Structure formats: C-alpha cells, structure tokens
Amino acid sequence: MTASDELLMRLSNLDALPGQETQVQNALQEIIKGVKNKDSFGNLYFGNLKTEKKKIALYAHMDEVGFFVHRITEDGFVYFYPIGGWWGHVILGQQVRATCRKNGAILEGIVGTLPKTNHKMAEVVPISEMYIDFGAHSKTELEEAGLQIGDMILPNTQSKKSFNQKKIMGKALDNRVACTVMAQVKNRVDTNNIEVIGVGTVQEEAGTRGSKVAAVEAQADINIVIDVANGKDTPKAAEFPNRIQGQGPGLVLADKTALANIKLLDYCKEIAEKNQISWQYDLLAGGGTDAGSVQLFAGKPTLVFCVPVRYCHSWNSIVEISDVEDTIDLLVAVIRSLDEGGIELEQF
C-alpha cells in the first residue's frame, strides 16, 4: 500500500458535514508539512500567504454530503435534513452514524425502510418522510446519550481496497480524493521561485461557500481546483463512455460555474504528454465546483482537475488508485515546470 492509498482511506473514514469539518481539518494539519493557517470561516491554508513570490493555489474541499438531525420524536425516531445533493433511492435501509457534538459520542442507526402504505413500489420515498432508527426507546434516551438537533449524520462505512488492489471503495471520496492529492503534492514538491498554497475549503457542498472566502485570502496568480465527478464508464451511464477510470485526471474545459483558462489547460496537457502521464479532457455539464467562486474573485487563470469517481454522493464510491497517483504526478510536474521557468505566469 502506498502513502496515497493509506491517506485516502484514512480521510475517507472521517466525517465532515459542511460547517462541521473539524475531523478533516485536524487530519490535514497533522499530515501536511510547513506553514499553516486557518481563517475564521474554517478554510485551511498551507504555505506562506504573505510571500512576495508568485503563488499557485491548489484547492480541495474538505466537506462531504450528509445530513443533520432535524427532529427527534418522543418515541425515539430521528428525522433528518440533507446537505448537498442526495438521491432518495440510495438512502433507505442504509446504516448511518451520528456524531454528538455535545460529548463526541457516536450513535449508529439505520434509515427506516417502512414508508407510508400509500407509497407505490416504483416511487422514491421523499427524504423528508424518512427517519433513522437508533434502537432507542424514547427521545429522552437519545438526548441522554448526547444527541441533539444539528448533529451531523453520515454514512456508516469503512474504506477498503477492491479484490484486485486497484481501486479504493469508501464514502466521501468527493472530495477526500482531492484532499489526498493536495496533501501529497504539498509534501512532495519543493519550489524556489513559486509559492504553492494548499487550500482546504469548507462548505463546498452547501454552495461553494468556503472558496468565496479562501480566494480572497490566497490571492493566487494561478488557481487549480481539484475535485471529482461521476465516472461515465459504467453500464448505461452515458451515450458514450467518458470520464473513464484508469485514464488519468480530467482537464475540465468547463463546468456550470466556470470556464477553464484554455492556455493553462493546454500547458498542463503538454506537460502530461511530455512526462507520459495519463490525462483526459472533461466537461462537467451537470454541476459546479469551487472554481466558480475562485475564478470570479480576481479573474486569475483557473483550471479544474477532475478525478473520475463512480457513485458519488452515495454510501460507497469507487476510485482508481492510478488516477489519484496520475493527478499527483501531473500537478507536481506542472508546478516544477512553472517553477523552473517553463512559462511566465503572466502568459496565461
């Protein structure tokens, strides 16, 4: 197992609802070497923000889609509120864990599978009608255990490797994959003329909130946002397969919130081909990333690196290990080339 494998699996097992990212914040501060800062919103910065050198910022959001406790019934059932995009049909019958912010207790439960009798089998039960059964006898019992309104609830899963050791399965690969990439790049690359700022953003899944603050703090000359999106190489996922696992990171031409700086994209493409690193073109037609907020702060060159991940926003996702490593290798190669004067940053 490589260092990247171990780190990704460790981060996958942590819980970080938007606005409650403490577990991942603490882990990254422990893992990433060098100068680190945290702003009042919760974003993390790894590198010298006050440097007079040109800055390249690598953005990775630390939060994940999840739920929080919305209502506890007198007989001990818990209704919950979703944060981020969820499909109702992946939730029923799943195991969850709630983290009690009052005392740190972890309560395990199951999303109830008994909807109203008037629901047809072909219909998806609305999330607002779902509840969690923690095995409690009453509201009082749950409250005495530490549970309260607003506590985060997340999939109760543990990351693992596939039988062939080629892939990692686990929750929150959106966006612990990017956190892993950012951390590894920061720890592997040494620069002389450029300052690399690793940025861990908060609340991306709740409307790219953290990056609106982080872009102002980082004030980078080049912004690279690292994220993931659903691989389209599974049966009937798309009219033609794209965002294919095993073919490296996608260089994203556009998403719903941002257009790539095409010169920067072409430069990264050339570096990939020069170093024989796998890559692919990508287009995120269905959603946005932190790039939209970052790009609009000062209009600096911005590009999204997208790692293919199957089954995002569900209990278990799958990523190809080689895609993670290729993303790390390509970013390291791009940064080294820019640091050595491969091209002036002003030319993008």
Side-chain angles (χ1 to χ4, degrees):
M1 185 178 290
T2 68
S4 297
D5 300 350
E6 293 176 351
L7 177 54
L8 177 52
M9 294 176 72
R10 173 185 172 185
L11 294 176
S12 170
N13 290 335
L14 300 178
D15 294 339
L17 191 71
Q20 300 185 51
E21 295 95 347
T22 303
Q23 292 183 29
V24 176
Q25 290 166 336
N26 290 344
L28 289 179
Q29 289 180 97
E30 173 190 330
I31 292 160
I32 299 175
K33 298 177 291 189
V35 179
K36 56 202 71 173
N37 292 282
K38 182 178 178 181
D39 65 28
S40 58
F41 204 58
N43 299 305
L44 297 179
Y45 307 91
F46 300 94
N48 183 5
L49 292 173
K50 297 181 179 180
T51 182
E52 305 216 347
K53 298 178 182 178
K54 296 292 186 180
K55 290 184 283 188
I56 298 177
L58 306 177
Y59 290 82
H61 72 83
M62 299 180 289
D63 58 313
E64 64 190 285
V65 294
F67 316 93
F68 65 70
V69 177
H70 183 216
R71 180 167 61 91
I72 306 174
T73 67
E74 291 300 324
D75 50 356
F77 295 103
V78 174
Y79 286 82
F80 52 95
Y81 184 82
I83 300 293
W86 280 102
W87 296 337
H89 53 264
V90 305
I91 300 175
L92 285 175
Q94 298 281 14
Q95 293 187 26
V96 298
R97 57 180 180 250
T99 302
C100 303
R101 66 187 188 278
K102 179 179 180 179
N103 57 12
I106 304 296
L107 308 184
E108 297 181 331
I110 296 173
V111 181
T113 57
L114 295 176
K116 294 179 180 178
T117 55
N118 62 354
H119 277 302
K120 297 178 181 178
M121 293 297 290
E123 294 178 346
V124 177
V125 179
I127 295 175
S128 61
E129 296 182 13
M130 298 180 189
Y131 60 86
I132 297 170
D133 188 343
F134 287 101
H137 295 95
S138 66
K139 178 179 181 179
T140 300
E141 187 178 8
L142 286 172
E143 290 176 338
E144 289 177 348
L147 193 70
Q148 58 186 317
I149 304 300
D151 282 342
M152 67 176 171
I153 303 169
L154 290 168
N156 190 23
T157 65
Q158 291 293 310
S159 61
K160 62 188 72 175
K161 283 189 139 183
S162 60
F163 76 97
N164 57 10
Q165 306 296 295
K166 301 293 186 183
K167 304 192 180 191
I168 289 175
M169 305 174 181
K171 75 166 184 65
L173 299 187
D174 180 5
N175 200 18
R176 305 297 151 68
V177 165
C179 291
T180 299
V181 170
M182 184 265 285
Q184 292 291 72
V185 172
K186 273 293 299 176
N187 285 342
R188 288 185 192 182
V189 70
D190 290 317
T191 54
N192 296 312
N193 305 306
I194 293 172
E195 183 73 13
V196 179
I197 308 293
V199 185
T201 62
V202 296
Q203 300 188 31
E204 191 270 354
E205 297 291 1
T208 63
R209 299 170 188 266
S211 56
K212 293 177 173 66
V213 177
V216 180
E217 293 293 323
Q219 297 206 26
D221 298 280
I222 287 179
N223 302 297
I224 296 178
V225 175
I226 313 161
D227 214 320
V228 305
N230 273 315
K232 300 294 185 180
D233 56 350
T234 54
K236 300 182 180 180
E239 289 187 26
F240 62 93
N242 69 312
R243 201 176 300 126
I244 298 170
Q245 291 200 334
Q247 294 191 10
L251 302 181
V252 179
L253 293 158
D255 64 33
K256 290 188 73 172
T257 65
L259 295 173
N261 180 290
I262 202 70
K263 291 182 180 179
L264 179 57
L265 186 150
D266 284 344
Y267 184 73
C268 293
K269 166 182 172 291
E270 291 167 7
I271 294 296
E273 292 174 345
K274 178 181 177 180
N275 290 274
Q276 297 183 316
I277 300 170
S278 297
W279 71 280
Q280 52 191 310
Y281 283 118
D282 206 346
L283 175 68
L284 308 184
T289 67
D290 276 336
S293 302
V294 170
Q295 187 180 58
L296 292 180
F297 162 60
K300 296 295 185 179
T302 302
L303 179 64
V304 177
F305 274 52
C306 181
V307 181
V309 168
R310 294 176 181 167
Y311 324 122
C312 290
H313 292 204
S314 71
W315 254 246
N316 292 281
S317 302
I318 300 176
V319 67
E320 185 98 16
I321 296 169
S322 66
D323 290 333
V324 178
E325 292 294 349
D326 283 341
T327 307
I328 295 167
D329 290 344
L330 180 52
L331 283 169
V332 169
V334 167
I335 291 168
R336 284 177 176 162
S337 176
L338 291 171
D339 188 56
E340 293 165 1
I343 190 170
E344 292 296 326
L345 271 60
E346 288 80 2
Q347 294 186 34
F348 291 120

